[in-house]
Amino acid sequence: MFRIGIEEIEEVKKVIESKQLFKVNSGELQESQNLETEMREKFGVPYTLTMTSGHAALASALIGMGIGPGDQVIVPAYTYIATAIAVVAAGAIPVIAEVDESLTIDPADVEKKITGATKAIIPVHIQGFPCAMDQIMEIAKKYNLFVLEDACQADGGSFKGQRLATIGDAGAFSFNYFKVISAGEGGALLTKNREIFERALIYHDSSAVAFFGTQLDGVTEEPFCGQEFRTNEITAAILRCQLKKLDTILADLRANKKYIMDALAGDCAFIKSNDIEGDCGTTIGILFKTTAEADRFAEAMNAPGSIPGKTKKHIYADWASIMNKRGAFHPLMDPFKMEANKDIIPNYTKDMCQKSLDILCRVSYISISPDWTKAEMDAKIAEIKEALKA
Ligand SMILES: Cc1ncc(COP(=O)(O)O)c(C=O)c1O
């Protein structure tokens, strides 16, 4: 979350004064409906669903794709565990692929990991770094796979001019506190595919969707039991304000990232970018030759958490519930114990993606603020240059 203030307060005040807080209502404000319309227009997709979280959007999309027991879904070795958990929530099995020096999924390794059970690929635009979507889409076409873009850390980013989350069959945004735009919590599913939309619509709000408003008008999918991932008018009011700010936040992040990278050119190497123009600009990744150099830099910057390989949250080796194959509390609900999955579960080991571990421990991040002044950026550049000498 970068910019939140008076605009959001005023819109939330109106919602509270209207006393219409439920998503489907007959009041004048219609925040949720307007938010979904504005998202469709902004991102150029025919279907959007706002939800309680990015995880909710990912899981709903997978259900919408018809993915379940007996299916494998390829995820990158470097992502928040929620990506892999969404696969398990659908009853399927995550297969972990290496990332390359862009820190996003390595298309060459994706191709190597495809089996007869593979149904989808989830490229994750981690830290707002766009994945190599042209190569991913080509592979998906060749093997007839779905592509679900996890753009939870990349609200508003793009790849070669096309918005992230709109290139694959479906995409997911997160609006939790740590994202480019935020309502504290929240998420959205975007898709061009009517089937995915109808199933995700039912799955994300399976008790209320049939009873409130006209949500099922024109829907041909038979209702089935799913989840309760419905949002509310307060969240929607905040997100409508945030959506209006999105492109300015991104422009300022990108300008500040460029200013700092230009000043550091020649002093250090950076991670590879698949599209620097579309990158969200939240993070600079400095790439070192050795882990010792990265460690020394992080220490000099007093930023021990800046090495992506050492966050304890985002590397496959740290995804305890996946690595330990604890797919559900009840054993009969656990995809790792299901008969349909018995021949398709990989042998997860902590060192199975050596290439990713090596790269991720040789990088140190600099987080960017869209609100930095030139003087603040110059001070940051001086601090980085000094730390690079360590
Ligand atoms: C890459 C990635 N995927 C999925 C999620 C899940 O989003 P949420 O926390 O909104 O469920 C996150 C959240 O941090 C994320 O970073």
Side-chain angles (χ1 to χ4, degrees):
M1 191 269 299
F2 289 109
R3 290 175 182 159
I4 195 159
I6 196 72
E7 302 84 2
E8 286 81 0
I9 293 170
E10 278 169 7
E11 295 309 313
V12 167
K13 184 167 175 276
K14 283 186 213 157
V15 172
I16 293 173
E17 282 169 355
S18 79
K19 300 201 179 343
Q20 296 282 358
L21 272 58
F22 195 73
K23 179 177 180 178
V24 185
N25 66 69
S26 54
E28 276 171 23
L29 296 178
Q30 296 298 326
E31 297 291 349
S32 302
Q33 232 183 70
N34 284 324
L35 172 64
E36 287 180 358
T37 305
E38 285 157 10
M39 285 193 16
R40 282 195 293 273
E41 287 167 2
K42 187 165 191 68
F43 296 108
V45 288
Y47 308 110
T48 60
L49 284 166
T50 46
M51 302 195 194
T52 46
S53 69
H55 162 85
L58 289 169
S60 302
L62 291 166
I63 296 294
M65 290 169 178
I67 284 166
D71 298 334
Q72 292 179 327
V73 176
I74 300 178
V75 302
Y78 175 45
T79 179
Y80 187 52
I81 186 173
T83 313
I85 288 180
V87 175
V88 177
I93 299 297
V95 169
I96 301 167
E98 300 273 14
V99 297
D100 61 23
E101 289 191 350
S102 69
L103 308 200
T104 65
I105 199 161
D106 178 354
D109 199 49
V110 167
E111 197 157 6
K112 282 190 208 146
K113 297 279 160 67
I114 292 171
T115 70
T118 311
K119 288 285 154 41
I121 310 166
I122 308 187
V124 180
H125 308 297
I126 198 90
Q127 299 286 142
F129 308 142
C131 296
M133 287 310 295
D134 42 5
Q135 292 176 61
I136 306 280
M137 294 307 289
E138 216 170 279
I139 293 168
K141 197 169 166 206
K142 183 168 161 194
Y143 295 92
N144 195 24
L145 306 175
F146 284 110
V147 174
L148 167 56
E149 293 178 77
D150 181 338
C152 288
Q153 296 192 8
D155 305 335
S158 57
F159 176 77
K160 296 193 177 164
Q162 197 173 344
R163 294 275 193 179
L164 303 178
T166 72
I167 303 165
D169 300 280
F173 290 141
S174 168
F175 305 123
N176 82 22
Y177 176 73
F178 304 98
K179 307 310 182 199
V180 181
I181 55 173
S182 177
E185 294 288 358
L189 163 65
L190 285 74
T191 183
K192 291 168 263 187
N193 182 308
R194 178 77 197 176
E195 255 186 357
I196 294 175
F197 166 72
E198 288 196 5
R199 294 170 187 163
L201 170 72
I202 295 166
Y203 182 76
H204 99 289
D205 192 15
S206 57
S207 69
V209 78
F211 299 115
F212 292 96
T214 54
Q215 296 179 84
L216 287 185
D217 279 9
V219 171
T220 56
E221 190 68 57
E222 278 279 305
F224 56 90
C225 299
Q227 306 294 333
E228 300 281 343
F229 294 151
R230 187 178 62 246
T231 52
N232 62 78
E233 291 288 89
I234 292 179
T235 298
I238 297 172
L239 287 176
R240 287 185 73 199
C241 295
Q242 290 278 292
L243 198 61
K244 288 194 188 88
K245 297 178 183 180
L246 177 62
D247 286 336
T248 331
I249 293 172
L250 288 171
D252 292 345
L253 281 167
R254 286 169 176 155
N256 291 357
K257 175 167 173 169
K258 182 171 179 343
Y259 182 85
I260 295 173
M261 282 179 73
D262 286 351
L264 293 175
D267 291 302
C268 59
F270 300 108
I271 59 167
K272 180 180 97 178
S273 177
N274 292 311
D275 180 7
I276 197 71
E277 305 291 321
D279 179 306
C280 291
T282 55
T283 311
I284 293 172
I286 300 183
L287 181 63
F288 294 90
K289 287 201 178 73
T290 65
T291 54
E293 279 177 54
D295 288 344
R296 277 201 300 277
F297 175 78
E299 201 174 308
M301 291 292 288
N302 199 17
S306 71
I307 297 180
K310 295 184 179 170
T311 69
K312 298 276 175 228
K313 286 197 280 266
H314 296 89
I315 304 283
Y316 71 94
D318 295 322
W319 304 340
S321 44
I322 300 290
M323 295 301 284
N324 298 331
K325 299 181 181 163
R326 296 263 298 161
F329 180 70
H330 196 292
L332 295 181
M333 301 286 281
D334 184 347
F336 290 112
K337 296 191 173 68
M338 286 176 185
E339 182 65 19
N341 288 332
K342 77 176 189 332
D343 297 327
I344 62 164
I345 300 173
N347 180 27
Y348 301 134
T349 61
K350 290 215 171 201
D351 58 358
M352 67 187 178
C353 290
Q354 273 303 329
K355 175 180 163 181
S356 305
L357 296 177
D358 169 57
I359 296 169
L360 292 161
C361 288
R362 288 193 290 114
V363 171
S364 181
Y365 283 155
I366 308 293
S367 298
I368 305 297
S369 164
D371 299 323
W372 276 340
T373 60
K374 185 174 171 301
E376 284 169 321
M377 286 193 286
D378 289 339
K380 179 60 76 180
I381 291 161
E383 188 190 354
I384 296 169
K385 287 194 180 213
E386 196 51 40
L388 284 169
K389 292 181 198 154

